[in-house]
């Protein structure tokens, strides 16, 4: 067993910093066996343990559950280095995979023990292979728990308006049509230089068929992604840049409902890309509601309405604002200003019960800087305790499988303390994580910063001194140990 002495321990359920906690971990099961207060008598009782390495002294640090980024792209790197188009069409899959392994390691060492990857962007099935390499009791590479969204189902001509499935393989021997980056040189051709990232589907029947076809070929399905709107007319940029930049809903309501209902029936969650108010409203008022909405700005009126946010009252859809990508790319266009106002209106309307998870579209900016999203949220006025909940327990609630939802999921969660959720039995991505309590995965980090006085500094990668994932130590005293 490994025993961790935590000077302070953050509790996402209450927002409290618990003082002096002894955390007992099983390296074999990767689970937390016990969490108890400690005093001098407890310290004396463990001081004579035969293996001094089995005690991790973090009394001078603040201990947290491992952080979760629910919107990353490990197969991308910053556009300031290489444009998206050149990454997708000029970097080989081998190069992009090597980069992804580096990104995975940086992400884990920054304190992020789980991520949700919403698309390889043309790197075919490499995310499935990467997940295999960084998962299990003896991974051959270092990285976080990896929830992957591989290829997409897209409306013809849209590309970005995608349904991404966790773990999608090629569809050999079928009439499935793949589409890829928009070809500016030959607009009537799909893809660029043979690069295809999505499967086209149109009409409710074909959308249901695409869901079924892809699910048949999936491994460990947790999530699908819908780009419910996108810049459908992007190729008109030369003559009508505003028109080219407008996002429009590319699937019809019926098509979206068909895919959502079919995915849910088969046990898969839905994540929807939506950047404008009309698409947001369509999604959250539909009788077939998506599980998460990615991006979206310009919702000030929705959140400031009377009653506030009426279209999503009672809706449990999780919002992933991706403030970081707007902060990076939307300064000159005014998009950042709109995104900022939307988020501030949201936390004002719902200071205690806003359903949010943290994901910055990491990859557009450097991997390892994932905490930028939480820093921006606190900087815009959100309570740091709430943000840290969104970035830990809220992250797990966002990415966890449908087996954890509904009455059966509630009962399963109630019995977590019985230590049945062993990764050796249920798998790396099926274990509960995001809070340091008995029965949850031992995904634990520690910072030498002060969360209350300098939140941004405390969650910065430079101040993450300790990282444990699944009961295995990856970073100690600020140094990598694997």
């Amino acid at each position: 067993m490994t025993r961790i002495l935590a000077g302070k321990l953050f509790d996402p359920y209450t927002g409290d910093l618990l003082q002096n906690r002894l955390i007992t971990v099983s390296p074999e099961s990767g689970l937390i066996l016990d969490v108890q207060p400690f005093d001098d008598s407890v310290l004396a009782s463990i001081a004579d343990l035969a293996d001094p390495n089995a005690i991790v002294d973090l009394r001078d640090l603040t201990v947290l559950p491992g952080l979760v980024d629910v919107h990353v792209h490990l197969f991308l790197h910053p556009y300031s280095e290489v444009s998206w188009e050149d990454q997708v069409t000029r970097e080989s899959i081998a190069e992009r995979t090597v980069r992804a392994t580096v990104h995975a390691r940086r992400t884990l060492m920054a304190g992020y023990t789980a991520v949700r990857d919403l698309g390889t962007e043309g790197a075919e099935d490499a995310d499935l292979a990467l997940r295999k390499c960084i998962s299990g009791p003896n991974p051959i590479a270092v990285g976080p728990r990896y929830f992957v969204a591989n290829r997409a189902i897209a409306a013809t001509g849209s590309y970005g308006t995608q349904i991404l499935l966790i773990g999608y393989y090629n569809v050999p021997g079928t009439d499935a049509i793949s589409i890829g980056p928009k070809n500016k040189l030959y607009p009537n051709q799909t893809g660029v230089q043979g690069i295809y990232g999505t499967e086209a589907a149109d009409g409710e029947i074909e959308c249901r068929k695409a869901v079924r076809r892809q699910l048949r070929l999936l491994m460990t399905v947790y999530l699908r992604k819908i780009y419910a709107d996108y810049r459908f007319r992007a190729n008109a940029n030369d003559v009508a840049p505003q028109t080219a930049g407008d996002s429009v809903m590319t699937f019809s309501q019926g098509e979206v409902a068909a895919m959502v209902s079919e995915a849910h029936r088969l046990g898969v969650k839905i994540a929807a890309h939506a950047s404008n108010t009309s698409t947001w409203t369509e999604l959250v008022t539909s009788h077939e509601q998506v599980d998460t909405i990615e991006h979206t700005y310009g919702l000030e009126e929705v959140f400031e309405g009377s009653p506030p946010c009426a279209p999503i009252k009672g809706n449990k859809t999780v919002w992933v604002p991706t403030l970081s990508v707007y902060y990076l790319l939307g300064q000159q266009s005014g998009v950042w200003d709109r995104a900022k106002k939307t988020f501030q209106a949201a936390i004002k309307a719902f200071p205690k019960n806003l359903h949010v998870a943290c994901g910055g579209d990491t990859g557009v900016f450097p991997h390892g800087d994932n905490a930028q999203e939480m820093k921006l949220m606190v900087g815009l006025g959100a309570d740091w305790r709430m943000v840290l909940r969104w970035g830990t327990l809220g992250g797990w609630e966002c990415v966890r499988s449908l087996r954890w939802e509904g009455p059966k999921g509630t009962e399963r969660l109630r019995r977590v303390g019985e230590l049945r959720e062993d990764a050796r039995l249920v798998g790396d991505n099926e274990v509960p994580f995001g809070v340091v309590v008995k029965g949850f995965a031992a995904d634990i980090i520690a910072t030498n910063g002060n969360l209350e006085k300098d939140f941004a500094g405390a969650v910065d990668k430079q101040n993450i001194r300790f990282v444990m994932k699944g009961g295995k130590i990856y970073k100690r005293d600020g140094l990598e140990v694997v």
Side-chain angles (χ1 to χ4, degrees), residues 183-235:
N183 195 320
K184 296 179 181 179
L185 186 60
Y186 303 104
N188 284 313
Q189 293 183 11
T190 57
V192 174
Q193 298 179 7
I195 304 298
Y196 303 105
T198 64
E199 177 185 341
D202 302 288
E204 295 177 26
I205 294 175
E206 290 302 313
C207 284
R208 285 188 183 274
K209 285 173 62 178
V211 170
R212 293 171 182 172
R213 179 168 54 245
Q214 291 195 9
L215 285 175
R216 177 175 61 85
L217 301 172
L218 291 179
M219 303 187 304
T220 316
V221 177
Y222 288 85
L223 166 81
R224 300 177 61 85
K225 180 181 176 183
I226 306 171
Y227 274 71
D229 61 19
Y230 208 69
R231 299 179 297 277
F232 208 106
R233 297 160 292 184
N235 278 351

Side-chain angles (χ1 to χ4, degrees), residues 109-110 366-369 371 375 459-465 475:
M109 297 307 169
H367 296 280
D369 291 346
K375 295 177 185 180
V459 298
D460 190 85
K461 63 184 179 184
Q462 300 298 334
N463 291 320
I464 301 302
R465 307 293 295 173
K475 188 177 186 179

